[in-house]
Amino acid sequence: MAEVTRLSVARRLDRCTVLGPGVRAVIWVQGCPLRCRGCVAAETLPFDGGTAHSVEELTDWLCGLPDIEGVTLSGGEPFSQAAELASLLDAVRARRPELSAMAYSGFRYEALRRGGPDRQALLRRLDLLVDGPYVASRQHGLRWRGSSNQRIIALTGRYPDLGTEPDHSAGVELSLEADGSLSWAGVPPTPGFREGLEERLAARGFVLRAEERRET
């Protein structure tokens, strides 16, 4: 029997407009070897958390989503599950070749290029990469990034106009799930966003689900 390829996933979202071009699905993987000071989603850092999903299951989910432009991979650290994510992108594009792929990484692009074959394979399948660790002292309200050291790197010609578009924060989005839970996605433009949001919601009797995007 063939071995089933599985990903450890912290969260997934079927529609998001603040983590890449257009309307995108987002997968936050579980586990990150980095410990960026000020990370707003510390719950995604341990490798022993998350939920296991097969590549087939995630492929069916992504390919069944209407009106999305692509998928954004975040976390956690996507390049810690590079082989599995490369397999996922291959499976998705076999059925929906028009979908684009974007990923976040706390590692610099140059380091990823020098990495092992799995990391290089994932790089080859991406259209966009946001690289570099979140640095709290360089917090800035930039498009899709948390600090000014982070870069948006075009790896294909899919988005030729990125360099001419305004480089300011895309903001955050709140999502109310069917079970009544509230979560958010995006890159906070200001430090202390999570703490402030949780305090304001708690004052009104709401508890924020502990699944958000990190800034690294």
Side-chain angles (χ1 to χ4, degrees):
M1 180 180 295
E3 183 177 353
V4 176
T5 302
R6 296 186 181 277
L7 280 151
S8 180
V9 176
R11 179 192 172 199
R12 51 182 173 164
L13 184 64
D14 56 6
R15 291 182 65 85
C16 181
T17 64
V18 295
L19 290 175
V23 178
R24 313 184 67 78
V26 185
I27 296 174
W28 289 264
V29 300
Q30 183 74 37
C32 177
L34 305 174
R35 293 296 182 268
C36 299
R37 184 177 181 181
C39 176
V40 296
E43 64 278 354
T44 69
L45 302 183
F47 283 93
D48 58 357
T51 302
H53 292 278
S54 69
V55 165
E56 181 180 9
E57 176 189 354
L58 292 173
T59 299
D60 288 343
W61 170 66
L62 286 169
C63 291
L65 297 176
D67 304 322
I68 61 168
E69 183 165 330
V71 58
T72 294
L73 309 173
S74 188
E77 172 54 56
F79 281 84
S80 289
Q81 301 185 57
E84 294 84 355
L85 289 171
S87 295
L88 173 63
L89 293 179
D90 283 345
V92 169
R93 283 174 167 155
R95 293 164 58 179
R96 292 187 63 178
E98 79 281 4
L99 294 183
S100 66
M102 172 177 167
Y104 283 84
S105 178
F107 297 101
R108 297 275 289 181
Y109 171 60
E110 293 80 6
L112 293 172
R113 287 189 61 187
R114 295 191 300 267
D118 291 345
R119 292 187 172 187
Q120 293 181 30
L122 180 54
L123 275 179
R124 289 195 300 270
R125 288 156 175 79
L126 298 176
D127 297 291
L128 295 174
L129 173 73
V130 175
D131 80 332
Y134 169 67
V135 179
S137 62
R138 299 181 67 177
Q139 169 81 39
H140 204 73
L142 300 172
R143 181 177 44 174
W144 310 328
R145 290 115 69 214
S147 57
S148 59
N149 61 294
Q150 296 173 316
R151 302 174 293 179
I152 303 173
I153 300 173
L155 301 176
T156 68
R158 176 74 181 258
Y159 297 103
D161 298 326
L162 278 179
T164 64
E165 296 174 354
D167 193 9
H168 54 67
S169 173
V172 298
E173 292 179 338
L174 292 176
S175 299
L176 184 62
E177 309 298 337
D179 62 3
S181 61
L182 187 68
S183 62
W184 66 272
V187 181
T190 57
F193 171 84
R194 175 174 180 168
E195 294 82 359
L197 177 62
E198 289 181 343
E199 289 175 2
R200 290 191 293 272
L201 288 173
R204 292 166 173 78
F206 295 99
V207 177
L208 186 68
R209 190 168 65 182
E211 297 174 344
E212 306 87 8
R213 216 207 78 72
R214 66 181 175 89
E215 293 182 344
T216 59

